[in-house]
Amino acid sequence: MKVVILAGGLGTRLWPLSRDNYPKQFIPLVGEDSLLQLCIKRLLSYFKPKDIYIISKSDYLFHIINHIEAIKIIDTKTKKSLRNNIILEPLTRGTAPAIMLFIKLMEKNCGDDEVIFVFPSDHIIEPISKFKKALSQAKQLAEKGYLNILGVKPKVFSPEFGYALVGERLEVGYKVDKFIEKPSLTQIRKFCQEKIFCNMGIFVFTKMVFIEELKKYSPQIFRYYSYDSQQLLRRFSSLPSDSIDYAIMQKTKIASLIEFDGQWLDLGSWDSLLEFLDRCKEKSGKKKDILFKSSNCLTYSKDRFISVLGVSNVIVIDSSDTVLVMRRNYSGMKEFISFLKNNRIPQLRESRTVYRPWGFYTILKEGRKYKVKEIGIYPGKHISLQKHKHRSEHWNIVEGVAKIRLGKDEIIRRANESVYVYKGMKHRIYNPTNNKVLRIIEVQIGDYLGEDDILRFDDYCIA
């Protein structure tokens, strides 16, 4: 068995929480773990670490590595195996080319009858026991030559999802009569609800079945499979962009479905995410925002208290630098994101928190000739050796231990201690611990405070 986690999506429907530089799969929406970390932990309960691969784009490499390293319940050997199994697409071309690329790269280690499991990186699936049972059943159908999906009975219908109309009952699961990706509400109302399932985006098939169906129904993509792996990578940008749903699933005659009767949530829209978070608040007893003489409204803010007065069917999202107000179930987010992109709105890509291979920084306050940041350095990581021409820096250690190089000297600083770095001084900060993020409040003072006022004397190595 081989496993592919698809972790290269931009998560644009959850803007402004999800940004191009830090999309939703890396955000801890439920507890302390990110959606990617939850996915990895879930799969480790059924698969061997050496068989789990993560495919994404190169921009996200250091995010994936840092998230693997931060999973507390897995050992060093498992983390190393997962790190070695990261596959980078030259650019994003959709799930069908991504899966084909994986199979090509695994060609020497993957026989025709090898069962391949494909998972999104950003779903909530519970409980594990029912999930593992569904995977075992899907494996049975895949070994019999079916191109299998996992599905759930929909509680409500949404044009955001794909649906499968099932017919013949198999030994386990169903034969799929029709696969419909993102249908209109008019189409959905015509379906027989007793025999319709929502597609969970989890696919199970053998290598041979996928390649044969790709050849049959998407020859424009399949023709690139004839290249060797290096040639395919070089030509990847010219591949047609398409999902497995459109490229194969809507056309194949050998689709089957395993019903999953647990809890599944695709946190792909603000409506679905906020409904889920509201249920979590009810269970935990956490204080909610105030909806005064308002109905059917949802709110989200990490830090601030939101009050909504006298409105209906509205979503209010508060992030560090952006507020989004939109009608519930509004379907124009994709068009809006294109508008932001075309107008080069910087908030589409980054927020006040910027992530780096060594950690992150958040701009807390800035004004004429000063800027205040919170800096977080991950365990065992360091910033590059550098100096600044136009600014001095004052560091106050808030949490953790800092090993600091100032000029030719090295010093240790702990919580409630501070350091002054004058203009032109070479410096580096290192977190020598193996389990705690080093947190620093930095105050920059100078005539110019741009991020390009950095002269580096070495490059940071991601690995």
Side-chain angles (χ1 to χ4, degrees):
M1 295 187 295
K2 293 287 186 290
V3 179
V4 189
I5 301 174
L6 303 173
L10 296 176
T12 51
R13 287 183 295 167
L14 282 186
W15 185 89
L17 186 64
S18 177
R19 310 281 177 113
D20 285 6
N21 279 0
Y22 205 70
K24 65 177 178 177
Q25 58 265 33
F26 303 117
I27 299 173
L29 295 173
V30 183
E32 295 181 355
D33 290 324
S34 68
L35 295 176
L36 175 62
Q37 289 170 324
L38 289 173
C39 178
I40 292 171
K41 289 164 66 174
R42 186 163 57 239
L43 297 182
L44 284 171
S45 70
Y46 188 79
F47 301 98
K48 296 176 181 178
K50 68 179 181 64
D51 294 325
I52 299 175
Y53 293 79
I54 303 171
I55 189 164
S56 187
K57 60 179 189 175
S58 56
D59 291 352
Y60 299 155
L61 174 59
F62 70 83
H63 292 319
I64 295 170
I65 290 173
N66 286 334
H67 280 246
I68 289 171
E69 292 299 322
I71 300 176
K72 296 176 182 177
I73 65 168
I74 61 177
D75 57 31
T76 303
K77 184 179 179 181
T78 298
K79 290 178 180 179
K80 183 179 180 181
S81 180
L82 292 169
R83 281 176 53 131
N84 291 340
N85 285 357
I86 299 172
I87 296 172
L88 299 177
E89 297 176 278
L91 75 168
T92 302
R93 304 309 278 162
T95 53
I99 295 167
M100 185 183 73
L101 174 63
F102 169 77
I103 291 175
K104 174 58 71 172
L105 294 175
M106 294 291 107
E107 207 163 28
K108 293 180 180 178
N109 302 313
C110 188
D112 286 348
D113 296 328
E114 183 96 46
V115 177
I116 297 170
F117 294 76
V118 180
F119 296 95
S121 59
D122 53 2
H123 292 181
I124 302 293
I125 301 175
E126 297 174 338
I128 293 293
S129 57
K130 289 185 177 181
F131 178 62
K132 290 162 69 173
K133 179 183 177 182
L135 294 182
S136 296
Q137 292 174 330
K139 181 174 180 288
Q140 289 180 49
L141 289 181
E143 289 172 337
K144 291 180 179 179
Y146 287 101
L147 209 165
N148 194 59
I149 63 171
L150 268 62
V152 293
K153 283 282 183 67
K155 294 179 181 178
V156 294
F157 290 98
S158 168
E160 297 294 331
F161 301 128
Y163 295 89
L165 291 166
V166 300
E168 179 188 347
R169 191 77 164 87
L170 302 173
E171 185 178 346
V172 289
Y174 300 88
K175 189 103 184 299
V176 174
D177 287 342
K178 193 173 184 181
F179 192 96
I180 306 146
E181 179 64 11
K182 295 181 174 59
S184 67
L185 289 174
T186 303
Q187 286 178 292
I188 291 172
R189 292 189 187 102
K190 296 178 181 177
F191 300 156
C192 174
Q193 293 188 22
E194 292 299 316
K195 290 191 175 184
I196 189 169
F197 289 85
C198 187
N199 174 23
M200 293 173 61
I202 296 172
F203 303 90
V204 187
F205 44 74
T206 62
K207 169 190 166 182
M208 181 173 63
V209 165
F210 176 84
I211 293 301
E212 286 180 346
E213 296 301 282
L214 187 69
K215 180 180 180 180
K216 187 184 299 182
Y217 298 113
S218 289
Q220 71 278 16
I221 295 176
F222 171 78
R223 71 185 185 89
Y224 286 83
Y225 188 72
S226 62
Y227 296 118
D228 64 38
S229 57
Q230 293 307 309
Q231 289 174 324
L232 176 57
L233 287 167
R234 285 195 295 270
R235 290 172 167 81
F236 204 76
S237 61
S238 59
L239 263 165
S241 181
D242 207 353
S243 69
I244 183 176
D245 309 276
Y246 288 113
I248 297 176
M249 297 307 299
Q250 284 197 350
K251 306 167 187 174
T252 184
K253 308 299 182 187
I254 55 170
S256 63
L257 180 143
I258 293 293
E259 179 180 358
F260 174 69
D261 62 351
Q263 182 185 30
W264 169 78
L265 283 165
D266 174 5
L267 303 180
S269 70
W270 277 113
D271 281 277
S272 61
L273 173 59
L274 293 179
E275 286 171 2
F276 173 72
L277 293 179
D278 260 19
R279 291 198 295 272
C280 291
K281 287 179 185 177
E282 289 172 3
K283 290 180 181 179
S284 65
K286 288 184 179 179
K287 186 178 175 70
K288 294 183 180 182
D289 296 329
I290 287 181
L291 306 179
F292 184 76
K293 294 187 177 180
S294 299
S295 62
N296 200 30
C297 295
L298 293 169
T299 59
Y300 176 88
S301 178
K302 185 177 179 181
D303 303 309
R304 284 179 281 210
F305 183 75
I306 296 178
S307 298
V308 179
L309 284 70
V311 296
S312 301
N313 301 311
V314 167
I315 288 175
V316 181
I317 310 301
D318 170 58
S319 69
S320 61
D321 61 346
T322 304
V323 175
L324 172 68
V325 181
M326 61 186 264
R327 188 178 71 245
R328 286 202 62 176
N329 297 308
Y330 180 64
S331 60
M333 180 60 89
K334 185 175 181 180
E335 182 183 357
F336 177 63
I337 294 299
S338 295
F339 171 82
L340 295 180
K341 184 176 182 180
N342 293 336
N343 286 273
R344 299 181 180 180
I345 304 300
Q347 286 82 359
L348 177 63
R349 186 165 177 80
E350 289 188 342
S351 66
R352 287 185 178 271
T353 299
V354 178
Y355 291 86
R356 295 287 185 255
W358 47 261
F360 61 89
Y361 66 82
T362 302
I363 300 173
L364 303 176
K365 182 76 174 177
E366 57 184 321
R368 184 172 176 270
K369 294 189 176 184
Y370 77 92
K371 184 185 289 185
V372 182
K373 290 181 177 180
E374 176 190 359
I375 297 175
I377 300 177
Y378 296 140
K381 301 294 178 73
H382 61 79
I383 65 170
S384 58
L385 182 63
Q386 59 186 250
K387 70 177 182 180
H388 310 292
K389 182 178 179 180
H390 299 285
R391 71 176 186 250
S392 62
E393 295 177 342
H394 302 254
W395 298 335
N396 293 279
I397 312 303
V398 176
E399 186 177 17
V401 178
K403 186 176 181 180
I404 299 169
R405 175 174 169 180
L406 291 175
K408 295 182 179 180
D409 299 326
E410 282 196 350
I411 59 175
I412 298 292
R413 289 291 184 267
R414 293 178 171 82
N416 205 31
E417 296 181 336
S418 60
V419 174
Y420 173 63
V421 183
Y422 59 78
K423 282 190 288 188
M425 176 182 276
K426 286 185 180 181
H427 59 276
R428 188 207 309 268
I429 311 172
Y430 170 61
N431 181 352
T433 69
N434 60 11
N435 58 6
K436 198 169 190 178
V437 176
L438 168 62
R439 296 183 183 274
I440 298 169
I441 298 298
E442 175 185 88
V443 181
Q444 302 176 0
I445 297 177
D447 295 323
Y448 178 72
L449 304 172
E451 291 300 320
D452 55 347
D453 179 26
I454 300 177
L455 177 60
R456 291 185 173 88
F457 296 92
D458 58 18
D459 291 325
Y460 190 90
C461 178
I462 292 177

